[in-house]
Amino acid sequence: MSDSIPQPQSGASSPAASPADPAGRIPLSVLELAPVGEGQTSAEALNAAAALAQRAEELGYRRFWVAEHHNMPGVASTSPGVFLGHVAARTRSIRVGSGGVMLPNHPPLVVAEQFAMLEALSPGRIDLGIGRAPGTDPATAAALRRSKEGLGAEDFPQELADLLDLLGIEEGGGRLALRRMSATPVAASAPDVWLLGSSGYSAQVAGMLGLPFAFAHHFSAANTLPAMELYRSTFRPSARLAEPYAMVTQSVYVADTAEEAEAIARPARLAQVSLYTGRPRRTPTPEEAAAHEWTDAELRIIEQGPSRPTIGDPKSVLAELTDLVSATGANELMVTTMTHGLPERLHSFELLAQAWPAGSEAGSSAG
């Protein structure tokens, strides 16, 4: 266990969230999973995701992050370190990053070398978001590591310390520093490291290390406010970040009318039900989703889920997201949208950017 990364303790005192601009004038960013729809290939899904990154840059979104998921037929985003090189090459100014790399799946040296190379190729544009969940089922997680070692949550602080050391970030203090290792190629700068989470654990670690924190509100809404408060209450200024910087992520579907928004969101909700019932699948077509007769059990899954997406026309979506920003005191809002087709996804992001006050150009900055 690294001395520089203390274990988070339960029951930490939590001040109230810092106030947010009631108009929601904070940066907007994108979280992308490269959804694979019925009748589509993974290659088509990845090309669509890259096209979305280009359009997001034109619209003024600050970041474009890709997630890591494995053994899921409806998600093509399996290797953020590889895909980000392609996205960075097809864009010029938007920050690109992982949302995130699931550290239990990879040796810290591998992650450090991948992101050191990305930073060397696109200096000043790379974010390394780190998560401690495997992002997959136990069998697939074991196959990724080829052993059970390193899969436990208790190993996360040490592996994070090693990763920070390998990237030359002084807050590390891991064991690999003693072996005089460093990630190559040696870039003139380091990627911005974020911690991702859906509970208080990563919030406290991020605060202790003085790192920016991204909370997965889109699938753990009940934990959002406690985690944000824990992050701020445990925050210690670091060489890279003087004050807390927190981002929340939310699923958002925007269309010209509320009815159209419900229609483009329905395929993802049907896919969600399939996933929760142990039948992961590709995103259904809008026609299949529209014709689907929902059972009472399926409706309960939707109603009782850990979070709900924001769905509606631009005015209603803006009001709901403004409330979310005000409640959390977030410095930045990251949006994810899972549709069957790219045109609906692009239009949703376009409408949100037009409705959002000041787009991604206002607010504090964490890289």
Side-chain angles (χ1 to χ4, degrees):
M1 183 66 61
S2 168
D3 292 337
S4 66
I5 304 185
Q7 286 284 357
Q9 302 295 317
S10 60
S13 60
S14 303
S18 59
D21 183 336
R25 298 181 184 275
I26 63 172
L28 284 175
S29 291
V30 179
L31 174 63
E32 173 69 358
L33 277 69
V36 185
E38 289 292 346
Q40 300 170 356
T41 66
S42 293
E44 290 171 332
L46 292 169
N47 284 329
L52 176 59
Q54 292 175 311
R55 184 61 179 140
E57 180 176 71
E58 294 170 352
L59 293 168
Y61 285 84
R62 175 165 290 182
R63 306 175 203 277
F64 185 88
W65 283 8
V66 298
E68 177 186 344
H69 289 285
H70 300 276
N71 197 27
M72 296 179 65
V75 174
S77 179
T78 56
S79 303
V82 176
F83 187 45
L84 288 176
H86 178 67
V87 174
R90 293 184 61 172
T91 54
R92 293 184 295 178
S93 58
I94 193 169
R95 294 191 66 90
V96 297
S98 57
V101 166
M102 301 295 104
L103 192 55
N105 297 340
H106 314 284
L109 180 58
V110 172
V111 177
E113 288 186 334
Q114 287 180 350
F115 279 78
M117 180 169 289
L118 289 168
E119 179 70 19
L121 294 171
S122 300
R125 292 181 55 203
I126 304 300
D127 294 328
L128 171 53
I130 294 292
R132 69 183 183 99
T136 187
D137 58 90
T140 305
L144 285 164
R145 265 295 179 91
R146 295 191 296 176
S147 75
K148 295 182 179 179
E149 296 179 2
L151 294 178
E154 65 276 6
D155 298 307
F156 180 79
Q158 181 61 71
E159 297 202 339
L160 178 60
D162 290 342
L163 176 61
L164 295 175
D165 278 334
L166 289 163
L167 289 170
I169 297 174
E170 64 183 74
E171 292 89 344
R175 59 195 170 190
L176 295 183
L178 301 177
R179 303 179 192 174
R180 299 183 183 277
M181 290 186 181
S182 62
T184 54
V186 178
S189 57
D192 278 358
V193 178
W194 290 65
L195 282 193
L196 282 56
S198 57
S199 68
Y201 181 94
S202 293
Q204 292 181 78
V205 173
M208 292 171 184
L209 294 177
L211 295 173
F213 176 60
F215 187 84
H217 177 81
H218 65 295
F219 65 77
S220 186
N223 292 325
T224 304
L225 294 183
M228 298 288 271
E229 292 170 353
L230 280 171
Y231 171 59
R232 295 186 179 101
S233 69
T234 56
F235 184 84
R236 301 174 183 173
S238 66
R240 297 176 70 84
L241 193 63
E243 298 179 350
Y245 192 95
M247 177 163 63
V248 292
T249 62
Q250 172 65 333
S251 296
V252 176
Y253 298 85
V254 195
D256 296 302
T257 67
E259 293 75 17
E260 291 172 332
E262 288 286 350
I264 67 169
R266 197 169 292 122
R269 305 188 89 173
L270 184 55
Q272 176 187 11
V273 168
S274 296
L275 178 63
Y276 284 1
T277 54
R279 300 173 290 112
R281 58 167 297 178
R282 296 181 181 186
T283 304
T285 64
E287 294 76 17
E288 179 185 352
H292 182 75
E293 296 184 5
W294 296 85
T295 67
D296 290 341
E298 290 173 337
L299 291 175
R300 281 195 298 272
I301 291 173
I302 295 295
E303 290 298 320
Q304 298 174 7
S307 63
R308 294 185 180 183
T310 298
I311 304 172
D313 58 38
K315 183 177 180 180
S316 65
V317 166
L318 176 61
E320 186 172 333
L321 294 180
T322 298
D323 287 345
L324 175 62
V325 169
S326 296
T328 60
N331 301 96
E332 192 166 335
L333 177 65
M334 180 167 275
V335 173
T336 183
T337 304
M338 297 278 285
T339 61
H340 178 271
L342 177 62
E344 308 98 300
R345 202 145 83 252
L346 288 174
H347 191 49
S348 181
F349 281 106
E350 289 166 351
L351 290 175
L352 180 59
Q354 293 165 9
W356 193 256
S360 67
E361 299 306 316
S364 304
S365 174

